Amino acid sequence: MLKAGVLGAGHLGKIHLRLLQQSSKYELVGFYDANPEYAKEIAAEFGYTYFDTIDALIDAVDVIDIVTPTLSHHECAKKAITKGKHVFIEKPITNTVAEAEELIALSKEYNVKGQVGHVERFNPAFTAVKDKINSPMFIETHRLAEFNPRGTDVPVVLDLMIHDIDAILSVVKSKVVQINASGVSVISNSPDIANARLEFENGCVANLTSSRISMKNMRKSRFFQRDAYISVDFLEKKVEVVKMKDAPKVADEYAMILQNAEGVKKQIYFENPDIDQNNAILDELETFADAINNDTTPIVSLEQGTEALRVAIQIIEKFNK
């Protein structure tokens, strides 16, 4: 079991503390929070060990789980890495790309592993169909949330859209060559609604929409490729896979057959992949433990977290132009 410590005991930090304590792959050593009075309340209520300095916690563990505000990610991770500790960092990886690139260089220098908390990669709906998403040429995503003051200190792109940016980059094996975007600030000082169009070197186009002032919650992505339409509902954890194949000479009476102007007939059929229900946060933490113990690359590496941040910041820069 790897000894783990958590930095930050806010809403998400408390979830991480609970799951690390439950996990058979970690021994939860304790946590640090910048608010000592609040931290002592958490320690008293749940029985976690509170460390009064970040350095003391880092020295006591093998893995540091960073669930602090984004502005402090770089400083916290740098402290841990330079002491030879593995780091799990909540998304976005850091505040700037330069900070993220420094963490990548340090992780190589000190021979430690890092993973970024892009939790949708572990969503059972996405994992059920990820292998079926081959060379998509058009992608459309909608990530809409009801208003919640928590998270409005950053643009909606870094709060919500970055989940979809990371998922898209994980399935489109090509470089982003063009970005167009627009954003609107409604209630916050930074954009609350955003739309971005990403164009890739291989011709794929992705259209992303995010809002944090919606009347309802929605987290859907649709992938269109030559042989299939794949819909992923991250919120409801459902998938829909619609495929085409050459129509048989003698079709079943219930078969859905399309015929184009040249007389070519195609049959539409549906696939229903099995979806294994899981706790995505527990899965991302435990696969990180596996990567450390087996010396393999984490599922969401520091490099991948950096690329998602790079694209997100380029989108934000388009707003300013």
Side-chain angles (χ1 to χ4, degrees):
M1 293 173 73
L2 294 164
K3 292 181 178 179
V6 177
L7 297 183
H11 172 74
L12 190 55
K14 285 195 291 186
I15 295 172
H16 280 233
L17 281 164
R18 175 172 55 82
L19 293 173
L20 286 169
Q21 190 173 51
Q22 291 175 3
S23 173
S24 62
K25 301 192 179 187
Y26 291 99
E27 175 193 338
L28 176 63
V29 172
F31 75 102
Y32 169 84
D33 191 272
N35 183 336
E37 295 307 313
Y38 170 75
K40 287 170 186 173
E41 288 176 15
I42 296 295
E45 183 178 355
F46 298 102
Y48 307 135
T49 302
Y50 166 58
F51 285 72
D52 55 10
T53 69
I54 291 176
D55 288 297
L57 179 61
I58 291 172
D59 290 340
V61 301
D62 306 309
V63 180
I64 282 288
D65 182 2
I66 300 169
V67 203
T68 59
T70 305
L71 284 172
S72 63
H73 284 186
H74 171 258
E75 181 188 355
C76 293
K78 186 175 179 178
K79 275 189 174 186
I81 292 170
T82 53
K83 288 192 171 192
K85 311 298 181 174
H86 306 288
V87 290
F88 183 97
I89 311 172
E90 256 310 318
K91 65 85 192 168
I93 178 172
T94 48
N95 195 46
T96 68
V97 172
E99 288 177 346
E101 288 176 337
E102 184 184 2
L103 295 185
I104 292 171
L106 286 170
S107 69
K108 291 176 180 175
E109 181 183 345
Y110 288 88
N111 193 30
V112 299
K113 296 192 183 295
Q115 180 161 316
V116 184
H118 284 287
V119 71
E120 293 288 40
R121 291 269 211 108
F122 299 84
N123 187 299
F126 184 63
T127 57
V129 294
K130 189 183 176 192
D131 291 344
K132 298 179 185 297
I133 303 173
N134 301 310
S135 302
M137 295 312 291
F138 179 66
I139 301 169
E140 189 162 34
T141 72
H142 288 88
R143 188 168 290 264
L144 316 177
E146 296 175 3
F147 182 73
N148 182 342
R150 189 170 56 84
T152 54
D153 55 326
V154 296
V156 70
V157 175
L158 292 175
D159 184 26
L160 297 178
M161 188 183 284
I162 196 166
H163 284 294
D164 297 313
I165 294 169
D166 172 69
I168 288 169
L169 294 179
S170 76
V171 295
V172 180
K173 309 300 184 187
S174 185
K175 183 181 175 184
V176 176
V177 292
Q178 178 71 33
I179 295 175
N180 293 294
S182 60
V184 180
S185 299
V186 179
I187 197 168
S188 313
N189 293 326
S190 58
D192 297 300
I193 302 172
N195 176 262
R197 177 184 168 92
L198 310 181
E199 297 180 22
F200 293 84
E201 200 167 51
N202 67 356
C204 177
V205 172
N207 188 37
L208 299 85
T209 301
S210 290
S211 167
R212 59 183 173 206
I213 51 167
S214 179
M215 298 299 288
K216 65 175 183 177
N217 294 321
M218 176 189 289
R219 304 198 320 245
K220 283 187 177 179
S221 295
R222 300 171 179 87
F223 302 87
F224 299 84
Q225 56 197 42
R226 181 165 181 83
D227 65 336
Y229 157 76
I230 299 168
S231 173
V232 181
D233 189 327
F234 290 92
L235 186 61
E236 299 295 334
K237 297 179 175 54
K238 295 178 180 176
V239 297
E240 183 179 20
V241 180
V242 183
K243 287 195 165 187
M244 275 195 180
K245 62 183 178 182
D246 291 334
K249 290 182 180 178
V250 180
D252 182 277
E253 61 177 311
Y254 299 108
M256 298 176 66
I257 306 294
L258 294 180
Q259 182 173 323
N260 65 14
E262 288 75 38
V264 177
K265 292 182 179 181
K266 295 283 186 178
Q267 179 179 346
I268 297 174
Y269 65 103
F270 299 86
E271 288 185 359
N272 295 303
D274 291 330
I275 297 176
D276 298 321
Q277 296 305 317
N278 69 332
N279 184 310
I281 296 176
L282 180 61
D283 276 6
E284 65 179 354
L285 290 168
E286 292 199 332
T287 60
F288 184 46
D290 293 340
I292 294 167
N293 289 325
N294 301 326
D295 193 20
T296 55
T297 303
I299 290 177
V300 187
S301 65
L302 297 182
E303 287 83 357
Q304 290 174 325
T306 301
E307 285 311 303
L309 177 65
R310 191 190 312 277
V311 172
I313 288 177
Q314 288 173 341
I315 289 170
I316 293 166
E317 288 171 348
K318 291 291 181 180
F319 300 161
N320 301 329
K321 292 178 182 177

